[in-house]
Amino acid sequence: MEALDVPVHPNAGKFILFQYDDESPALKHVWVNGELKLPPIKRTGEGAETDKIAVVGTHAEVKNIPNDYKLIGYFNTPYSYKLNSEIWLLSKNPQIELVDGKQFVFISPSRDVKSVFNQFINGNNVEIINAETNGSYILKSNQVAGIISYITILFMTTIFCVSAMIWIKRKNHLLSVLYIFGYSYRAIYRIILRYYALPYILFSSILFTIFMLISYYAVPLWDVSWMLYSVNLILLHLVLVIIFVFCLTFIYTVKKGGKRF
């Protein structure tokens, strides 16, 4: 943004706005609008009552904090190289002053971030910078890392499907015998699901829940969206198990045929 022609709308919704200058990108004026979670902070026990506070990374230059801001703590994010080098300046009465920098990063938990942004910016002229051409995404190492992640997830899902099919297929003789002795394929499906697949599903879910809780409390991360993606992936795998049980039950009963008593 080069000029602020009209006031912005602070009641646009929940968002975090970072304002900085190209010459000192680690020094950011932060506007937190609404009840939003900040990164884990290790407090120093000072300055909580002041209107202007600063939170810094463990490797940041504390001397760069403006005199009218009070240092209250450090980011407790040992695995974030970016936060460890940044200085966040927060005010109880935030506003945009272009002397603080003409570069901005706008983040919102809303599903329609662009709508919240447009309402907040209130028609002021801004230039949208594409993160994929100007941000860290342009680094080949980051692009390759993203591709490797997708390939790894696809490979793991494929291995899981093959393993699950082999695991369930070992009961093919039991399926055929139960069907020959008068059980319907629906009854057989419920039996296999209850005594064979359900214990696996419950045990896996319990282990995964314990892992997520340990990860959440032992290694606190600001962004926990990876947990949501992990839950969705695990749920997909469990649904696949249920589908495989049904398909193999049908194949080794109705499709195989045979004389029933």
Side-chain angles (χ1 to χ4, degrees), residues 179-181 257-261:
Y179 184 70
I180 292 174
F181 276 87
K259 183 178 180 181
R260 300 178 62 190
F261 293 97

Side-chain angles (χ1 to χ4, degrees), residues 47 49-54 68-72 89-93:
E49 69 285 349
T50 185
D51 289 342
K52 294 184 176 183
I53 60 175
D68 53 339
Y69 283 84
K70 182 71 175 180
L71 175 65
I72 66 159
L89 306 176
L90 299 98
S91 171
K92 290 185 179 179
N93 300 298

Side-chain angles (χ1 to χ4, degrees), residues 41-59:
I41 298 172
K42 186 181 296 182
R43 294 185 175 271
T44 60
E46 301 177 359
E49 69 285 349
T50 185
D51 289 342
K52 294 184 176 183
I53 60 175
V55 184
V56 305
T58 53
H59 304 312

Side-chain angles (χ1 to χ4, degrees), residues 18-48:
F18 299 89
Q19 182 179 2
Y20 63 97
D21 195 293
D22 275 339
E23 295 182 358
S24 54
L27 185 67
K28 289 183 169 62
H29 292 262
V30 184
W31 183 337
V32 180
N33 204 60
E35 296 295 329
L36 292 176
K37 186 177 181 180
L38 291 174
I41 298 172
K42 186 181 296 182
R43 294 185 175 271
T44 60
E46 301 177 359

Side-chain angles (χ1 to χ4, degrees), residues 94-106:
Q95 56 185 330
I96 292 180
E97 296 181 5
L98 295 183
V99 294
D100 296 329
K102 298 182 178 181
Q103 304 290 325
F104 299 85
V105 176
F106 186 89

Side-chain angles (χ1 to χ4, degrees), residues 81-116:
Y81 74 92
K82 184 174 178 61
L83 282 178
N84 285 341
S85 61
E86 288 197 340
I87 298 175
W88 285 19
L89 306 176
L90 299 98
S91 171
K92 290 185 179 179
N93 300 298
Q95 56 185 330
I96 292 180
E97 296 181 5
L98 295 183
V99 294
D100 296 329
K102 298 182 178 181
Q103 304 290 325
F104 299 85
V105 176
F106 186 89
I107 301 175
S108 172
S110 172
R111 291 188 176 183
D112 190 358
V113 179
K114 189 174 182 180
S115 175
V116 178

